[in-house]
């Protein structure tokens, strides 16, 4: 495959609290005959227990003190004890042996440092691309983790949900339907964009975990449309509830921000707006009253505005947002119509990492509108909507 060296290796981050079923999912990826060559990087406290009969070869990863196992199904398992970036660079030298990398986080970690590290290294962004974040949620016990936070902070469980592109709502056989519905609503209030799939024993097709494209600018429109659609999309065992809210437009920065490399994936941390989504109310697992309010500090704001943005105003608004509230912004995604431009503008970001680019031309009969989704901490939905409405160009009234 002569073109393989030019291709960036896709990386999926799998996160979830201890006991959520993350290890079961990783074991499934490593040991099943799914036809995909995957390199799994587990942290030094990883609990992946590989049957010795499945290990074809074990060695030390060149240039590191990390061990690597080659399995009989073609997958690799690497235990990283020191430097993740160094391990990734070393793995890249063996890129002909696999097609995808999966990184396991520790149970209490949020994915942000790993996401950011891809951009901090000078060489790595040219070798790999972030494919997506998958969070495994323990349906039975996650509520206590979501509620377990110190005053003024956000719990690690909430952050793991906020960064996710896809969520495995696991151990659903231990929770009744009403509690599951309530939990899904709470998750969607935190992260309106994430796809949710109900599972038992972390059983999910490998295709659901790999090939997400969550940080690919080409997928931004599809994800925004799914989020902003007034109708719920149901996929077999997946539950992707959507809200019909007004969505705020993104700003047209034609350049990447806060990192030196522009990748074919982008990280978007969106602010969370409280109460910006309208979902059916359900009783919580531990509370059987309706309309339970949770103060998770993190929420989603989704905005849709008809018309065109003033380039200077939207650049200023987005720039100010990233400058003053970057740490509060977990993921952002947007598609903008810019006044005076024939091209659509798409962007996404994670904290200070921002990537945007002109997209295709608007079709002659296509409605010009702006769509924006923020997932973040302590967001004011109305303030966001007002700020981005102010960026719209006021078209002159048409005389009767």
């Amino acid at each position: 495959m002569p073109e393989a060296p030019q291709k960036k290796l896709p990386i999926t981050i799998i996160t979830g609290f201890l006991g959520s079923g993350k290890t079961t999912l990783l074991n499934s990826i490593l040991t099943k005959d799914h036809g995909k060559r995957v390199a799994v990087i587990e942290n030094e406290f990883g609990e992946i227990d590989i049957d010795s009969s499945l290990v074809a070869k074990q060695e030390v990863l060149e240039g590191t003190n990390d061990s690597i196992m080659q399995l009989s199904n073609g997958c690799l398992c690497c235990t990283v004890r020191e430097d993740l970036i160094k391990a990734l660079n070393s793995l890249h030298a063996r890129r002909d042996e696999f097609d995808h990398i999966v990184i396991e986080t520790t149970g209490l970690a949020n994915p942000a440092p790993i996401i950011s590290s891809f951009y901090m290294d000078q060489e790595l962004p040219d070798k790999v691309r972030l494919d997506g974040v998958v969070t495994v949620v323990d349906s039975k016990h996650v509520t206590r983790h979501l509620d377990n936070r110190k005053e003024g902070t956000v719990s690690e469980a909430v952050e793991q949900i906020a960064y996710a592109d896809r969520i495995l709502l696991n151990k659903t056989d231990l929770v009744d339907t009403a509690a599951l519905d309530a939990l899904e609503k709470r998750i969607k209030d935190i992260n309106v964009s994430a796809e949710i799939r109900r599972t038992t024993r972390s059983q999910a097709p490998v295709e659901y975990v790999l090939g997400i494209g969550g940080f690919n600018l080409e997928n931004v429109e599809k994800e925004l449309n799914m989020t902003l659609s007034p109708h719920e999309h149901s996929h077999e065992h997946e539950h992707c509830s959507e809200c019909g809210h007004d969505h705020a437009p993104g700003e047209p920065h034609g350049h990447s921000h806060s990192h030196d490399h522009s990748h074919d994936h982008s990280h978007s941390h969106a602010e969370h707006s409280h109460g910006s989504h309208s979902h059916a109310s359900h009783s919580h697992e531990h509370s059987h009253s309706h309309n339970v309010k949770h103060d998770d500090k993190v929420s989603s704001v989704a905005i849709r505005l008809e018309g065109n943005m003033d380039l200077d105003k939207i650049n200023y608004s987005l720039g100010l947002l990233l400058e003053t509230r970057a740490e509060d912004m977990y993921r952002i995604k947007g598609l903008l119509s810019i006044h005076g431009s024939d091209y659509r503008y798409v962007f996404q970001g994670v904290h200070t990492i921002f990537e945007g680019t002109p997209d295709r031309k608007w079709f002659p009969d296509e409605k010009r509108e702006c769509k924006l989704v923020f997932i973040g901490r302590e967001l004011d939905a109305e303030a966001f909507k007002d700020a981005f409405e102010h960026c719209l160009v006021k078209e002159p009234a048409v005389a009767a």
Side-chain angles (χ1 to χ4, degrees), residues 316-337:
Y316 175 80
S317 297
L318 278 180
L320 182 65
L321 179 65
L322 294 174
E323 181 180 346
T324 61
R325 299 204 58 190
E327 289 307 307
D328 293 333
M329 307 296 293
Y330 293 125
R331 301 193 68 162
I332 60 175
K333 295 187 181 186
L335 184 154
L336 302 177
S337 175

Side-chain angles (χ1 to χ4, degrees), residues 394-400:
K394 292 180 170 55
E395 303 292 346
V398 179

